[in-house]
Amino acid sequence: MTRFLCPLLLTFALSAPLADGYAQRAAGPGRPNDFLDPAFHKNRRELLRQTLPASSVAVLFAAPVRNRANDVNYIYHQDPDFYYLTGYDEPDAVLVLFKEPQTMGGQAGITEALFVQPRDPKAEAWTGRRLGTEGAQQQLKLQYVANNSDFANAGVRWADFQHIHFLDLPTDVRDDARDAADLFDLVASFRQQAGIPATYDAKKADVYRSVELYGITNAPKVKAYLESMIKAQPTLATDTYLQNYLQATTDAERQKAVAARPTSRFENAVLDDALDEMRAVKTPEELNLLRRAIRISAVGQQEVMKAMRPDMGEMEVQGLHEYVYKQYGAEFEGYPSIVGAGDNSCILHYETNDKPRLGNDLVLMDCGAEYHGYTADVTRTAPASGKFSAAQRQIYELVLAAQDAAIRECKPGNEFQAPNKAAQQVVAEGLIKLGIIQKPEEMRRYFPHGTSHYLGLDVHDRGKYGPLKAGNVITVEPGIYIPENSPCDKKWWNIGVRIEDDVLITATGAENLSKEAPRTVAEVEAMMAKSSALDDFKLPTLK
């Protein structure tokens, strides 16, 4: 083990863990000290609170615990919105924000309250330390912190608020009969005390929001969206608001229909809109963590290229990427690693990764480290043999040209779809030139997805998908996938190529944050020709 740990560190040294403006946040001694500072989360809460209308209260819940099998749970991952606003990474918690100061527990002037799971020595001996109220107060520095068991009797005067804001309430949560304040009980208590009707439909509220946001500016797509939703949810067919909108034929009629949206005390659009705006523009502190996650992922691509051999399997390649992540302190992968060789490279979200031998195939590696909640999303495609075949090279260079064209469109003020449109044009023209398609519209057979999404706490992060702004971090990921039996020359079959970089929109243009991962054919082949720290690492053969 030591024999190849040291060379990995020598080949590419990342900067030391961040310190200034960051803090030790996790319960227990000896933990990392570069989590976002409580002041960051405080600032985010205050910005969100300012967006609330008068006489408002906002309620956000921690993510549920997910069971893997019997008495074993998946590793807990906090809801990104909840983490963004609190820094708290334990389950069974509630955050309450008040527009106007309230009195809670005899304490006046409260605009924020966090209810957390209590300390429990027996539970902590099995599943790890908890912050409890004292730890949460000291480390997270909210105004008011109490046990989650106090939430039901906290004295919030729900009936006094004209607006009660919340995101989608979790409905698929197990009820632990041994815990009277688990997430199931917290949500049930909130619904009962706030008077949320049993008939309240969050999905319908989301549909209403889409009509309100885009019903005038993008009427054809909204109409198609509504028609598809009505097919999926027939109860929407009798909704007066939606039917009035669908029957409108002019912008004036549509404007009138949109303005007649039914009002309710219960609202999720305000929080959704505000969090979309806030999370899409990264602060300097967030960018530092995101840069680190992306650089770790770029190092993973470098090291795997150097180590890859035809006799490896997809799972082994996956393991090498994820080993590098752990080496640099990334707690998780931001999403299930995609490692697809040959025919598997043509499956867009392939996650099985169990092909035992790469052979001479191209290997598509879509992998991203998650560092302190922030995730990278970097894809490279490399030939397991170390050299591209003529056909592989032609497809690869077409995808690269499409990506270059897309990145040139990553400028503040450009529409979000500008990079995608540029990439599609290059791919369509290139596939026609190669004789793979005859008409531009046939391009979608081999390039069926868009190029870009926001990146941050989620791999598909929050954002409005409006004009690009400085501080946005987006992916640029064109691809061409030609599965077996496609209507083209067989020499192209089972070639799948995606090249994906993480791009920061700056005040004047764009910065490719993942540029250290080799991109061009020459760079990929040169990297694969280098010796790897893993070349001499041999495990015993199992019989």
Side-chain angles (χ1 to χ4, degrees):
M1 182 69 75
T2 304
R3 188 160 43 118
F4 66 93
L5 276 176
C6 293
L8 267 179
L9 289 173
L10 291 172
T11 55
F12 195 103
L14 288 170
S15 59
L18 309 167
D20 295 339
Y22 297 84
Q24 181 172 323
R25 186 75 51 73
R31 303 296 298 278
N33 64 352
D34 56 349
F35 289 94
L36 290 165
D37 190 85
F40 167 86
H41 302 288
K42 173 68 175 177
N43 174 265
R44 301 293 96 184
R45 291 193 299 275
E46 188 57 28
L47 284 176
L48 181 61
R49 198 177 68 82
Q50 290 173 11
T51 67
L52 301 177
S55 189
S56 284
V57 59
V59 182
L60 297 97
F61 291 90
V65 174
R66 294 299 187 193
N67 184 258
R68 183 180 186 274
N70 197 16
D71 61 348
V72 177
N73 295 326
Y74 285 100
I75 295 174
Y76 185 71
H77 193 279
Q78 185 58 279
D79 175 85
D81 288 324
F82 198 89
Y83 185 77
Y84 183 71
L85 296 170
T86 66
Y88 186 72
D89 60 1
E90 298 176 27
D92 299 331
V94 189
L95 172 68
V96 184
L97 300 176
F98 303 103
K99 180 67 174 183
E100 293 85 12
Q102 306 290 309
T103 297
M104 300 191 70
Q107 184 176 342
I110 299 299
T111 58
E112 55 182 31
L114 180 66
F115 298 86
V116 301
Q117 61 179 359
R119 296 293 305 272
D120 183 340
K122 290 184 178 179
E124 292 179 51
W126 286 91
T127 57
R129 300 178 181 90
R130 297 179 178 183
L131 283 176
T133 55
E134 184 177 347
Q137 184 74 66
Q138 291 176 349
Q139 295 194 38
L140 306 181
K141 302 187 186 306
L142 279 89
Q143 280 184 309
Y144 183 85
V145 179
N147 283 333
N148 54 14
S149 57
D150 296 330
F151 176 66
N153 300 303
V156 178
R157 299 168 61 90
W158 301 101
D160 291 350
F161 296 102
Q162 294 180 26
H163 307 282
I164 299 178
H165 306 274
F166 51 93
L167 301 175
D168 287 348
L169 298 176
T171 56
D172 54 344
V173 182
R174 290 189 175 189
D175 182 12
D176 185 348
R178 301 166 298 178
D179 187 348
D182 63 2
L183 185 61
F184 182 94
D185 296 300
L186 294 173
V187 172
S189 175
F190 170 60
R191 293 186 71 108
Q192 187 272 324
Q193 293 190 60
I196 300 174
T199 56
Y200 177 80
D201 187 345
K203 290 186 174 64
K204 181 183 286 189
D206 287 340
V207 174
Y208 281 7
R209 177 172 177 251
S210 297
V211 173
E212 189 173 46
L213 288 175
Y214 310 112
I216 308 301
T217 59
N218 207 341
K221 286 189 176 180
V222 170
K223 182 178 179 181
Y225 164 70
L226 289 180
E227 290 171 346
S228 68
M229 290 299 294
I230 288 171
K231 287 182 181 179
Q233 301 179 53
T235 56
L236 295 178
T238 59
D239 186 273
T240 302
Y241 175 66
L242 299 181
Q243 287 304 316
N244 286 343
Y245 175 82
L246 287 171
Q247 291 167 15
T249 58
T250 66
D251 280 350
E253 290 176 349
R254 281 188 281 268
Q255 186 76 53
K256 183 178 179 181
V258 168
R261 174 180 173 175
T263 59
S264 170
R265 291 181 67 223
F266 309 109
E267 182 65 76
N268 60 10
V270 170
L271 291 184
D272 266 324
D273 288 346
L275 288 165
D276 279 349
E277 291 281 1
M278 291 166 60
R279 283 179 51 185
V281 177
K282 303 300 184 285
T283 69
E285 303 99 313
E286 291 180 284
L287 282 174
N288 283 339
L289 295 179
L290 199 46
R291 285 178 185 276
R292 190 169 185 86
I294 293 167
R295 290 196 69 202
I296 290 170
S297 305
V299 174
Q301 295 286 355
Q302 288 189 6
E303 295 300 328
V304 169
M305 286 182 189
K306 289 189 285 188
M308 190 186 297
R309 302 184 306 271
D311 62 345
M312 284 183 170
E314 293 171 345
M315 199 175 296
E316 187 175 359
V317 171
Q318 173 187 349
L320 295 179
H321 278 281
E322 294 172 9
Y323 169 75
V324 173
Y325 300 170
K326 301 299 185 186
Q327 173 77 28
Y328 288 114
E331 297 93 333
F332 306 107
E333 303 80 56
Y335 52 94
S337 298
I338 299 169
V339 179
D343 53 343
N344 294 331
S345 68
C346 299
I347 302 172
L348 300 184
H349 280 186
Y350 173 74
E351 298 171 0
T352 310
N353 301 348
D354 64 354
K355 192 172 188 176
R357 191 175 187 279
L358 304 177
N360 292 322
D361 286 331
L362 281 182
V363 184
L364 189 155
M365 302 174 288
D366 187 339
C367 306
E370 181 184 304
Y371 189 84
H372 294 359
Y374 288 81
T375 180
D377 189 2
V378 181
T379 306
R380 291 296 185 265
T381 307
S385 65
K387 291 287 185 181
F388 288 87
S389 70
Q392 291 170 348
R393 182 180 186 127
Q394 286 177 289
I395 298 298
Y396 188 95
E397 291 188 331
L398 175 53
V399 174
L400 184 63
Q403 193 197 36
D404 286 338
I407 291 176
R408 287 194 292 270
E409 295 300 316
C410 293
K411 303 173 184 177
N414 274 10
E415 62 174 303
F416 195 91
Q417 290 300 322
N420 184 52
K421 291 177 180 177
Q424 287 183 338
Q425 181 176 344
V426 172
V427 170
E429 293 173 355
L431 291 177
I432 290 173
K433 187 174 181 180
L434 292 174
I436 295 174
I437 62 174
Q438 305 302 315
K439 302 175 182 178
E441 56 267 27
E442 296 172 350
M443 172 269 301
R444 298 297 290 173
R445 174 189 290 272
Y446 302 111
F447 179 15
H449 60 78
T451 61
S452 302
H453 55 77
Y454 294 102
L455 190 67
L457 284 167
D458 284 302
V459 66
H460 286 203
D461 209 30
R462 277 188 175 274
K464 290 281 195 176
Y465 289 88
L468 294 170
K469 298 179 180 180
N472 292 159
V473 178
I474 67 171
T475 62
V476 181
E477 50 176 315
I480 296 174
Y481 318 89
I482 310 176
E484 192 170 350
N485 296 319
S486 295
C488 60
D489 193 310
K490 291 183 178 180
K491 71 178 181 180
W492 308 114
W493 289 2
N494 294 327
I495 294 178
V497 175
R498 181 160 64 248
I499 308 171
E500 178 178 19
D501 282 283
D502 302 338
V503 174
L504 168 65
I505 307 301
T506 68
T508 57
E511 178 187 352
N512 185 348
L513 301 179
S514 49
K515 62 182 180 295
E516 289 158 314
R519 289 179 67 241
T520 69
V521 166
E523 289 170 347
V524 171
E525 291 185 344
M527 184 62 66
M528 298 188 77
K530 293 184 178 182
S531 60
S532 167
L534 298 172
D535 286 343
D536 297 327
F537 180 67
K538 302 293 182 184
L539 291 172
T541 301
L542 299 180
K543 297 182 180 179

